[in-house]
Amino acid sequence: SHALYPQLDQPHATMSLNGLTQNNELSPSDTTAITWLAAHATPGAVLVEGIDPNLAEYSPFYGRVATFTGIPAVIGWVGHEYQWRAKWIDDPANAADLAARAGDLRTIYTNPNPALVLLLLHHYHVRYVYVGATEQTLYGATADLTSFGKYLTSIYNADGVIIYQVPGV
């Protein structure tokens, strides 16, 4: 018996280094959309996706798109942002920038003013806005997330996930 790795006791288990195929916590719609985005993203792109409002780490629901596509996000798991930039964050200007990102992300998903949202998207060089079940849960009660379609281009729309492309980025 393999106590640490029980999947090794399953004779027909498929082993892989592809974390996306091994992750049973992602929804099938996220898995399909993330796979599509990874195959079609422009090199050097940046994205936005929902972050945990409690700033918790290691959640399968937050940071999933950046994790599995390799596309940088404006902000990911906040604790990791601090960890990876321990000395950088000592500079008050850098600390302020990091703190602003969480608020700016919320503004991007909830503010009804397209000019302000586009200003923030361009400020962070965001090419893709991801709207899936996580973003609907986080921001959908206070914002119409389909309103992105009025000023962004929908490049993917299937099974409750929409990926928008930002013009001019």
Side-chain angles (χ1 to χ4, degrees):
S1 176
H2 297 89
L4 292 176
Y5 304 100
Q7 66 272 28
L8 295 177
D9 290 328
Q10 300 171 9
H12 300 293
T14 303
M15 303 300 287
S16 170
L17 292 177
N18 182 343
L20 188 57
T21 63
Q22 300 299 310
N23 189 326
N24 295 329
E25 295 175 331
L26 287 178
S27 71
S29 58
D30 271 341
T31 300
T32 302
I34 289 167
T35 301
W36 183 90
L37 185 58
H40 294 91
T42 302
V46 176
L47 65 84
V48 292
E49 63 179 309
I51 62 167
D52 187 344
N54 299 315
L55 308 180
E57 308 294 317
Y58 303 108
S59 167
F61 306 109
Y62 309 105
R64 69 211 187 281
V65 182
T67 296
F68 291 112
T69 62
I71 301 170
V74 168
I75 189 167
W77 291 342
V78 176
H80 279 137
E81 301 290 352
Y82 280 99
Q83 177 184 5
W84 295 328
R85 294 165 180 80
K87 296 293 182 192
W88 179 86
I89 205 75
D90 288 341
D91 180 321
N94 294 338
D97 175 59
L98 182 59
R101 288 174 181 253
D104 288 347
L105 181 70
R106 182 162 200 59
T107 298
I108 288 167
Y109 278 105
T110 62
N111 195 291
N113 181 344
L116 175 60
V117 173
L118 282 167
L119 180 72
L120 288 171
L121 292 171
H122 285 125
H123 172 74
Y124 292 111
H125 309 285
V126 172
R127 184 160 181 88
Y128 303 113
V129 176
Y130 190 94
V131 178
T134 296
E135 291 72 26
Q136 287 290 348
T137 300
L138 286 171
Y139 311 113
T142 58
D144 175 11
L145 299 181
T146 62
S147 68
F148 285 124
K150 296 175 183 172
Y151 55 97
L152 304 178
T153 304
S154 172
I155 59 169
Y156 178 94
N157 188 343
D159 301 320
V161 175
I162 304 173
I163 302 171
Y164 295 98
Q165 184 172 315
V166 179
V169 178

Coordinates of all heavy atoms in Angstrom, one line a residue, residues 1-86:
S1 N 0.8 -1.2 0.0 CA 0.0 0.0 0.0 C 0.9 1.2 0.0 O 1.9 1.3 0.6 CB -0.9 0.0 1.2 OG -1.6 1.2 1.3
H2 N 0.4 2.3 -0.7 CA 1.1 3.5 -0.8 C 0.4 4.6 0.0 O -0.4 5.3 -0.6 CB 1.3 3.9 -2.3 CG 2.1 3.0 -3.1 ND1 1.5 1.9 -3.7 CD2 3.4 3.0 -3.3 CE1 2.5 1.3 -4.4 NE2 3.6 1.9 -4.1
A3 N 0.6 4.7 1.3 CA -0.1 5.6 2.1 C 0.0 7.0 1.7 O -1.0 7.7 1.7 CB 0.4 5.4 3.6
L4 N 1.2 7.4 1.3 CA 1.3 8.8 0.9 C 0.7 9.1 -0.5 O 0.3 10.2 -0.8 CB 2.8 9.3 0.9 CG 3.4 9.3 2.2 CD1 4.9 9.7 2.1 CD2 2.7 10.4 3.1
Y5 N 0.7 8.1 -1.4 CA 0.2 8.3 -2.7 C -0.8 7.2 -3.1 O -0.5 6.2 -3.8 CB 1.4 8.2 -3.7 CG 2.4 9.2 -3.4 CD1 3.6 8.9 -2.8 CD2 2.3 10.6 -3.8 CE1 4.6 9.8 -2.5 CE2 3.2 11.5 -3.5 CZ 4.4 11.1 -2.8 OH 5.4 12.0 -2.6
P6 N -2.0 7.3 -2.5 CA -3.0 6.3 -2.7 C -3.4 6.0 -4.1 O -3.8 4.9 -4.5 CB -4.2 6.8 -1.9 CG -4.0 8.2 -1.7 CD -2.5 8.4 -1.7
Q7 N -3.2 7.0 -5.0 CA -3.5 6.8 -6.4 C -2.6 5.7 -7.1 O -3.0 5.1 -8.1 CB -3.4 8.1 -7.2 CG -2.0 8.7 -7.3 CD -1.7 9.6 -6.2 OE1 -2.2 9.5 -5.1 NE2 -0.8 10.6 -6.5
L8 N -1.5 5.4 -6.5 CA -0.6 4.3 -7.0 C -1.2 3.0 -6.7 O -0.8 2.0 -7.4 CB 0.8 4.4 -6.3 CG 1.6 5.7 -6.7 CD1 2.9 5.7 -6.0 CD2 1.8 5.8 -8.2
D9 N -2.2 2.9 -5.8 CA -2.8 1.6 -5.5 C -4.0 1.3 -6.5 O -4.6 0.3 -6.5 CB -3.4 1.6 -4.1 CG -2.3 1.5 -3.1 OD1 -1.2 0.9 -3.4 OD2 -2.5 2.1 -2.0
Q10 N -4.3 2.3 -7.3 CA -5.4 2.1 -8.3 C -4.7 1.6 -9.6 O -4.0 2.3 -10.3 CB -6.1 3.5 -8.6 CG -6.7 4.1 -7.3 CD -7.2 5.5 -7.5 OE1 -7.2 6.0 -8.6 NE2 -7.6 6.1 -6.5
P11 N -5.0 0.4 -10.0 CA -4.3 -0.2 -11.1 C -4.6 0.5 -12.5 O -3.7 0.4 -13.3 CB -4.9 -1.7 -11.2 CG -6.2 -1.6 -10.4 CD -6.0 -0.5 -9.4
H12 N -5.7 1.2 -12.6 CA -6.0 1.8 -13.9 C -5.8 3.3 -13.8 O -6.3 4.0 -14.7 CB -7.4 1.4 -14.4 CG -7.5 0.0 -14.6 ND1 -6.8 -0.8 -15.5 CD2 -8.2 -1.0 -13.9 CE1 -7.1 -2.0 -15.4 NE2 -8.0 -2.2 -14.4
A13 N -5.2 3.8 -12.8 CA -5.1 5.3 -12.7 C -4.1 5.8 -13.7 O -3.0 5.2 -13.9 CB -4.6 5.6 -11.3
T14 N -4.4 6.9 -14.3 CA -3.5 7.5 -15.3 C -2.7 8.5 -14.6 O -3.2 9.5 -14.0 CB -4.3 8.2 -16.4 OG1 -5.2 7.2 -17.0 CG2 -3.4 8.8 -17.4
M15 N -1.4 8.3 -14.6 CA -0.5 9.3 -13.9 C 0.0 10.3 -15.0 O 0.2 10.0 -16.1 CB 0.7 8.5 -13.4 CG 0.4 7.4 -12.4 SD -0.5 8.1 -10.9 CE 0.8 8.9 -10.1
S16 N 0.2 11.5 -14.5 CA 0.6 12.6 -15.4 C 1.2 13.7 -14.6 O 0.9 13.9 -13.5 CB -0.6 13.1 -16.2 OG -0.3 14.3 -16.9
L17 N 2.1 14.5 -15.3 CA 2.6 15.7 -14.7 C 1.8 16.9 -15.0 O 2.0 18.0 -14.6 CB 4.1 15.9 -15.2 CG 5.1 14.9 -14.7 CD1 6.4 15.2 -15.3 CD2 5.2 14.9 -13.2
N18 N 0.7 16.7 -15.8 CA -0.2 17.8 -16.2 C -1.2 18.0 -15.0 O -2.1 17.2 -14.8 CB -0.9 17.4 -17.4 CG -1.9 18.5 -17.9 OD1 -2.2 19.4 -17.1 ND2 -2.3 18.5 -19.1
G19 N -0.9 19.0 -14.2 CA -1.8 19.3 -13.1 C -3.2 19.6 -13.4 O -4.1 19.4 -12.6
L20 N -3.4 20.1 -14.6 CA -4.8 20.4 -15.0 C -5.6 19.2 -15.1 O -6.8 19.1 -14.7 CB -4.8 21.2 -16.3 CG -6.1 21.8 -16.8 CD1 -6.8 22.7 -15.7 CD2 -6.0 22.5 -18.1
T21 N -5.0 18.1 -15.7 CA -5.8 16.9 -15.8 C -5.9 16.1 -14.5 O -6.8 15.2 -14.4 CB -5.2 16.0 -16.9 OG1 -3.8 15.6 -16.5 CG2 -5.1 16.6 -18.3
Q22 N -5.0 16.4 -13.6 CA -5.0 15.7 -12.3 C -5.9 16.4 -11.2 O -6.1 15.9 -10.2 CB -3.6 15.5 -11.8 CG -2.7 14.7 -12.7 CD -3.2 13.3 -13.0 OE1 -3.5 12.6 -12.0 NE2 -3.3 12.9 -14.2
N23 N -6.3 17.6 -11.5 CA -7.0 18.4 -10.5 C -8.5 18.2 -10.7 O -9.2 18.6 -11.6 CB -6.7 19.9 -10.8 CG -7.2 20.8 -9.7 OD1 -8.3 20.5 -9.1 ND2 -6.5 21.8 -9.4
N24 N -9.1 17.5 -9.7 CA -10.5 17.2 -9.7 C -11.3 18.3 -9.0 O -12.5 18.1 -9.0 CB -10.7 15.8 -8.9 CG -10.1 14.7 -9.6 OD1 -10.0 14.7 -10.8 ND2 -9.6 13.7 -8.8
E25 N -10.7 19.3 -8.5 CA -11.4 20.4 -7.9 C -11.9 21.5 -8.9 O -12.8 22.2 -8.6 CB -10.6 21.0 -6.8 CG -10.3 20.0 -5.7 CD -9.4 20.5 -4.6 OE1 -8.5 21.4 -4.9 OE2 -9.5 20.1 -3.5
L26 N -11.3 21.5 -10.0 CA -11.7 22.5 -11.0 C -13.0 22.0 -11.7 O -13.2 20.8 -11.9 CB -10.7 22.7 -12.1 CG -9.4 23.5 -11.7 CD1 -8.4 23.5 -12.9 CD2 -9.7 24.9 -11.3
S27 N -13.9 23.0 -12.0 CA -15.1 22.6 -12.8 C -14.7 22.2 -14.2 O -13.7 22.7 -14.7 CB -16.0 23.8 -12.8 OG -15.6 24.8 -13.7
P28 N -15.5 21.3 -14.8 CA -15.2 21.0 -16.2 C -15.2 22.2 -17.1 O -14.4 22.3 -18.1 CB -16.3 20.0 -16.6 CG -16.7 19.4 -15.3 CD -16.6 20.5 -14.2
S29 N -16.1 23.2 -16.8 CA -16.1 24.4 -17.7 C -14.8 25.2 -17.5 O -14.3 25.7 -18.5 CB -17.3 25.3 -17.4 OG -17.3 25.6 -16.0
D30 N -14.3 25.3 -16.3 CA -13.0 26.0 -16.1 C -11.9 25.2 -16.8 O -11.0 25.8 -17.5 CB -12.6 26.1 -14.6 CG -13.2 27.4 -14.0 OD1 -13.5 28.3 -14.7 OD2 -13.2 27.4 -12.8
T31 N -11.9 23.9 -16.7 CA -10.8 23.1 -17.3 C -10.8 23.3 -18.8 O -9.7 23.5 -19.4 CB -11.0 21.6 -17.0 OG1 -10.9 21.4 -15.5 CG2 -9.9 20.7 -17.6
T32 N -12.0 23.3 -19.4 CA -12.1 23.5 -20.9 C -11.6 24.9 -21.3 O -10.8 25.0 -22.2 CB -13.5 23.2 -21.4 OG1 -13.9 21.9 -21.0 CG2 -13.6 23.3 -22.9
A33 N -12.1 25.9 -20.6 CA -11.7 27.3 -20.9 C -10.2 27.5 -20.7 O -9.6 28.2 -21.5 CB -12.6 28.2 -20.0
I34 N -9.7 27.0 -19.6 CA -8.3 27.2 -19.3 C -7.4 26.5 -20.4 O -6.4 27.1 -20.9 CB -7.9 26.7 -17.9 CG1 -8.5 27.6 -16.8 CG2 -6.4 26.5 -17.7 CD1 -8.5 27.1 -15.4
T35 N -7.8 25.3 -20.8 CA -7.1 24.6 -21.9 C -7.2 25.4 -23.1 O -6.1 25.6 -23.8 CB -7.7 23.2 -22.1 OG1 -7.6 22.5 -20.8 CG2 -7.0 22.5 -23.2
W36 N -8.3 26.0 -23.5 CA -8.5 26.8 -24.7 C -7.6 28.0 -24.6 O -6.9 28.3 -25.5 CB -9.9 27.2 -24.9 CG -10.2 27.9 -26.1 CD1 -10.5 27.4 -27.4 CD2 -10.0 29.4 -26.3 NE1 -10.5 28.5 -28.3 CE2 -10.3 29.7 -27.6 CE3 -9.7 30.4 -25.4 CZ2 -10.2 31.0 -28.1 CZ3 -9.7 31.7 -25.9 CH2 -9.9 32.0 -27.3
L37 N -7.6 28.7 -23.5 CA -6.9 29.9 -23.3 C -5.4 29.7 -23.4 O -4.6 30.4 -24.1 CB -7.2 30.6 -22.0 CG -6.5 32.0 -21.8 CD1 -6.9 33.0 -22.9 CD2 -7.0 32.6 -20.4
A38 N -4.9 28.6 -22.8 CA -3.5 28.3 -22.9 C -3.0 28.0 -24.3 O -1.9 28.4 -24.7 CB -3.2 27.0 -22.0
A39 N -3.9 27.5 -25.1 CA -3.6 27.2 -26.5 C -3.7 28.4 -27.4 O -3.0 28.5 -28.5 CB -4.5 26.1 -27.1
H40 N -4.5 29.4 -27.0 CA -4.7 30.6 -27.9 C -4.2 31.9 -27.4 O -4.4 32.9 -28.1 CB -6.3 30.7 -28.1 CG -6.8 29.5 -28.9 ND1 -7.3 28.4 -28.3 CD2 -6.9 29.3 -30.2 CE1 -7.7 27.6 -29.2 NE2 -7.5 28.1 -30.4
A41 N -3.7 32.0 -26.2 CA -3.2 33.2 -25.7 C -2.1 33.8 -26.4 O -1.2 33.1 -26.9 CB -2.8 33.1 -24.2
T42 N -2.0 35.1 -26.5 CA -0.9 35.9 -27.1 C 0.2 35.8 -26.1 O 0.1 36.1 -24.9 CB -1.4 37.3 -27.3 OG1 -2.5 37.3 -28.1 CG2 -0.3 38.1 -28.0
P43 N 1.4 35.5 -26.6 CA 2.6 35.6 -25.8 C 2.8 36.9 -25.1 O 2.6 38.0 -25.7 CB 3.8 35.3 -26.7 CG 3.2 34.5 -27.9 CD 1.8 35.1 -28.0
G44 N 3.1 36.9 -23.8 CA 3.3 38.2 -23.1 C 2.0 38.7 -22.5 O 2.0 39.8 -21.9
A45 N 0.9 38.1 -22.7 CA -0.4 38.6 -22.2 C -0.4 38.6 -20.7 O 0.3 37.9 -20.0 CB -1.5 37.7 -22.8
V46 N -1.3 39.4 -20.2 CA -1.6 39.5 -18.7 C -3.1 39.3 -18.6 O -3.9 39.7 -19.5 CB -1.2 40.8 -18.2 CG1 -1.6 41.0 -16.7 CG2 0.3 41.1 -18.3
L47 N -3.6 38.7 -17.5 CA -5.0 38.5 -17.3 C -5.5 38.9 -15.9 O -4.7 39.2 -15.0 CB -5.4 37.0 -17.5 CG -4.8 35.9 -16.5 CD1 -5.7 35.8 -15.3 CD2 -4.7 34.6 -17.2
V48 N -6.8 39.0 -15.8 CA -7.4 39.2 -14.5 C -8.4 38.1 -14.3 O -9.0 37.6 -15.2 CB -8.1 40.6 -14.3 CG1 -7.1 41.7 -14.3 CG2 -9.2 40.8 -15.3
E49 N -8.4 37.6 -13.0 CA -9.3 36.6 -12.5 C -9.6 36.9 -11.1 O -8.9 37.7 -10.4 CB -8.8 35.2 -12.7 CG -7.5 34.9 -11.9 CD -7.0 33.5 -12.0 OE1 -7.8 32.6 -11.9 OE2 -5.8 33.4 -12.3
G50 N -10.7 36.4 -10.5 CA -11.0 36.7 -9.1 C -10.0 36.2 -8.2 O -9.4 35.2 -8.4
I51 N -9.8 37.0 -7.1 CA -9.0 36.5 -6.0 C -9.8 36.4 -4.7 O -10.9 37.0 -4.6 CB -7.8 37.5 -5.7 CG1 -8.3 38.9 -5.3 CG2 -6.9 37.6 -6.9 CD1 -7.2 39.8 -4.7
D52 N -9.3 35.6 -3.8 CA -10.1 35.3 -2.6 C -10.2 36.6 -1.8 O -9.2 37.2 -1.4 CB -9.3 34.3 -1.7 CG -10.1 33.8 -0.5 OD1 -11.0 34.5 -0.1 OD2 -9.7 32.7 0.0
P53 N -11.4 37.0 -1.4 CA -11.6 38.3 -0.7 C -10.9 38.2 0.7 O -10.6 39.2 1.3 CB -13.1 38.4 -0.6 CG -13.7 37.1 -0.9 CD -12.7 36.4 -1.7
N54 N -10.7 37.0 1.2 CA -10.1 36.8 2.5 C -8.6 36.6 2.4 O -7.9 36.4 3.4 CB -10.7 35.6 3.3 CG -12.2 35.8 3.5 OD1 -12.6 36.9 3.9 ND2 -13.0 34.8 3.2
L55 N -8.1 36.7 1.2 CA -6.7 36.6 0.8 C -6.1 35.3 1.3 O -4.9 35.2 1.6 CB -5.9 37.8 1.4 CG -6.5 39.2 1.1 CD1 -5.7 40.3 1.7 CD2 -6.6 39.4 -0.4
A56 N -6.9 34.2 1.3 CA -6.4 32.9 1.6 C -5.5 32.3 0.5 O -5.6 32.8 -0.6 CB -7.6 32.0 1.9
E57 N -4.7 31.4 0.9 CA -3.8 30.7 -0.1 C -4.3 29.3 -0.4 O -5.1 28.8 0.3 CB -2.4 30.7 0.6 CG -1.9 32.0 1.1 CD -1.7 33.0 0.0 OE1 -1.1 32.7 -1.1 OE2 -2.1 34.2 0.2
Y58 N -3.7 28.8 -1.4 CA -3.9 27.4 -1.8 C -5.3 27.0 -2.1 O -5.7 25.9 -1.8 CB -3.3 26.4 -0.7 CG -1.8 26.7 -0.5 CD1 -1.4 27.4 0.7 CD2 -0.9 26.4 -1.4 CE1 -0.1 27.6 0.9 CE2 0.5 26.7 -1.2 CZ 0.9 27.3 -0.1 OH 2.2 27.6 0.1
S59 N -6.1 27.9 -2.7 CA -7.4 27.6 -3.0 C -7.5 27.1 -4.5 O -6.9 27.7 -5.3 CB -8.3 28.8 -2.8 OG -9.6 28.6 -3.5
P60 N -8.3 26.1 -4.8 CA -8.4 25.7 -6.2 C -9.3 26.6 -7.0 O -9.4 26.5 -8.2 CB -9.1 24.3 -6.1 CG -9.8 24.4 -4.8 CD -9.0 25.2 -3.9
F61 N -10.0 27.6 -6.3 CA -10.9 28.5 -7.0 C -10.3 29.8 -7.4 O -10.8 30.5 -8.2 CB -12.1 28.7 -6.1 CG -12.8 27.4 -5.7 CD1 -12.7 27.0 -4.3 CD2 -13.4 26.6 -6.6 CE1 -13.3 25.8 -4.0 CE2 -14.0 25.4 -6.2 CZ -13.9 25.0 -4.9
Y62 N -9.2 30.1 -6.8 CA -8.5 31.4 -7.0 C -7.1 31.2 -7.6 O -6.4 30.3 -7.1 CB -8.5 32.3 -5.7 CG -9.8 32.4 -5.1 CD1 -10.1 31.6 -3.9 CD2 -10.8 33.1 -5.6 CE1 -11.3 31.7 -3.3 CE2 -12.1 33.2 -5.0 CZ -12.3 32.5 -3.8 OH -13.5 32.5 -3.2
G63 N -6.8 32.0 -8.6 CA -5.5 31.8 -9.2 C -5.4 30.6 -10.1 O -4.3 30.3 -10.6
R64 N -6.5 30.0 -10.4 CA -6.5 28.8 -11.2 C -6.1 29.1 -12.7 O -5.5 28.3 -13.3 CB -7.9 28.1 -11.2 CG -9.0 29.0 -11.8 CD -10.4 28.8 -11.2 NE -11.5 29.4 -11.9 CZ -11.7 30.7 -11.8 NH1 -11.0 31.5 -11.1 NH2 -12.8 31.2 -12.5
V65 N -6.6 30.2 -13.2 CA -6.3 30.5 -14.6 C -4.8 30.8 -14.9 O -4.2 30.2 -15.7 CB -7.2 31.6 -15.2 CG1 -7.0 31.8 -16.6 CG2 -8.7 31.3 -14.9
A66 N -4.3 31.6 -14.0 CA -2.9 31.9 -14.2 C -2.0 30.7 -13.9 O -1.0 30.4 -14.6 CB -2.5 33.1 -13.2
T67 N -2.4 29.9 -12.9 CA -1.6 28.7 -12.5 C -1.5 27.8 -13.7 O -0.5 27.3 -14.0 CB -2.3 28.0 -11.3 OG1 -2.2 28.9 -10.2 CG2 -1.6 26.7 -11.0
F68 N -2.7 27.5 -14.3 CA -2.7 26.4 -15.3 C -2.4 26.9 -16.8 O -2.3 26.1 -17.7 CB -4.0 25.7 -15.3 CG -4.1 24.8 -14.0 CD1 -5.0 25.1 -13.0 CD2 -3.2 23.8 -13.8 CE1 -5.1 24.4 -11.9 CE2 -3.3 23.0 -12.7 CZ -4.2 23.3 -11.7
T69 N -2.4 28.2 -17.0 CA -2.0 28.7 -18.3 C -0.6 29.3 -18.4 O 0.0 29.4 -19.4 CB -3.0 29.9 -18.8 OG1 -2.9 31.0 -17.9 CG2 -4.4 29.4 -18.9
G70 N -0.1 29.7 -17.2 CA 1.2 30.3 -17.2 C 1.1 31.8 -17.5 O 2.1 32.5 -17.6
I71 N -0.1 32.3 -17.8 CA -0.3 33.8 -18.1 C -0.3 34.5 -16.8 O -1.0 34.2 -15.8 CB -1.6 34.0 -18.8 CG1 -1.7 33.2 -20.1 CG2 -1.8 35.5 -19.1 CD1 -3.1 33.2 -20.7
P72 N 0.6 35.5 -16.7 CA 0.6 36.3 -15.4 C -0.7 37.0 -15.1 O -1.4 37.5 -16.0 CB 1.7 37.4 -15.6 CG 2.4 36.9 -16.9 CD 1.5 36.0 -17.6
A73 N -1.1 37.1 -13.9 CA -2.3 37.8 -13.4 C -1.8 39.1 -12.7 O -0.7 39.2 -12.2 CB -3.1 36.9 -12.5
V74 N -2.7 40.0 -12.7 CA -2.5 41.3 -12.1 C -2.1 41.1 -10.6 O -1.3 41.7 -10.0 CB -3.7 42.3 -12.2 CG1 -3.6 43.5 -11.3 CG2 -3.8 42.7 -13.7
I75 N -2.8 40.1 -10.0 CA -2.6 39.7 -8.6 C -3.1 38.3 -8.4 O -4.1 37.9 -9.0 CB -3.2 40.7 -7.6 CG1 -2.7 40.4 -6.2 CG2 -4.7 40.7 -7.7 CD1 -3.0 41.5 -5.1
G76 N -2.3 37.5 -7.7 CA -2.7 36.1 -7.4 C -2.9 35.9 -6.0 O -3.6 36.7 -5.3
W77 N -2.4 34.9 -5.4 CA -2.5 34.6 -4.0 C -1.6 35.7 -3.3 O -0.4 35.7 -3.4 CB -2.0 33.2 -3.7 CG -2.8 32.1 -4.2 CD1 -4.1 32.2 -4.6 CD2 -2.5 30.7 -4.3 NE1 -4.6 30.9 -4.9 CE2 -3.6 30.0 -4.8 CE3 -1.3 30.0 -4.1 CZ2 -3.5 28.7 -5.0 CZ3 -1.3 28.7 -4.3 CH2 -2.4 28.0 -4.8
V78 N -2.3 36.5 -2.5 CA -1.6 37.7 -1.9 C -0.5 37.3 -1.0 O 0.6 37.9 -1.1 CB -2.7 38.6 -1.2 CG1 -2.0 39.7 -0.5 CG2 -3.7 39.1 -2.2
G79 N -0.6 36.3 -0.2 CA 0.5 35.8 0.6 C 1.7 35.5 -0.1 O 2.9 35.7 0.3
H80 N 1.5 34.8 -1.3 CA 2.7 34.5 -2.2 C 3.3 35.7 -2.8 O 4.5 35.8 -3.0 CB 2.2 33.5 -3.3 CG 2.2 32.1 -2.8 ND1 1.2 31.3 -3.2 CD2 3.0 31.4 -2.0 CE1 1.4 30.1 -2.6 NE2 2.5 30.2 -1.9
E81 N 2.5 36.7 -3.1 CA 3.0 38.0 -3.6 C 4.0 38.6 -2.6 O 5.1 39.0 -2.9 CB 1.9 39.0 -3.9 CG 0.9 38.5 -4.9 CD 1.4 38.4 -6.3 OE1 2.5 38.8 -6.6 OE2 0.7 37.8 -7.2
Y82 N 3.6 38.5 -1.3 CA 4.5 39.0 -0.2 C 5.8 38.1 -0.1 O 6.9 38.6 0.0 CB 3.8 39.1 1.1 CG 2.9 40.3 1.3 CD1 1.5 40.2 1.1 CD2 3.5 41.5 1.6 CE1 0.7 41.3 1.2 CE2 2.6 42.6 1.8 CZ 1.3 42.5 1.6 OH 0.5 43.6 1.7
Q83 N 5.5 36.8 -0.2 CA 6.7 35.9 0.0 C 7.7 36.0 -1.1 O 8.9 36.1 -0.9 CB 6.1 34.5 0.0 CG 7.1 33.4 0.1 CD 6.5 32.0 0.0 OE1 5.3 31.9 -0.2 NE2 7.3 31.0 0.2
W84 N 7.2 36.1 -2.3 CA 8.1 36.2 -3.5 C 8.9 37.6 -3.6 O 9.9 37.7 -4.3 CB 7.4 35.9 -4.8 CG 6.8 34.6 -4.9 CD1 7.4 33.4 -4.3 CD2 5.6 34.2 -5.5 NE1 6.6 32.3 -4.6 CE2 5.5 32.8 -5.4 CE3 4.7 34.9 -6.2 CZ2 4.4 32.1 -5.9 CZ3 3.6 34.1 -6.8 CH2 3.5 32.8 -6.6
R85 N 8.3 38.6 -2.9 CA 8.9 39.9 -3.0 C 9.2 40.5 -1.7 O 9.0 41.7 -1.4 CB 7.8 40.8 -3.7 CG 7.6 40.4 -5.2 CD 6.4 41.0 -5.7 NE 6.1 40.7 -7.1 CZ 5.6 39.5 -7.5 NH1 5.2 38.6 -6.6 NH2 5.4 39.3 -8.8
A86 N 9.8 39.7 -0.8 CA 10.0 40.0 0.6 C 10.8 41.3 0.7 O 10.4 42.2 1.5 CB 10.7 38.9 1.3

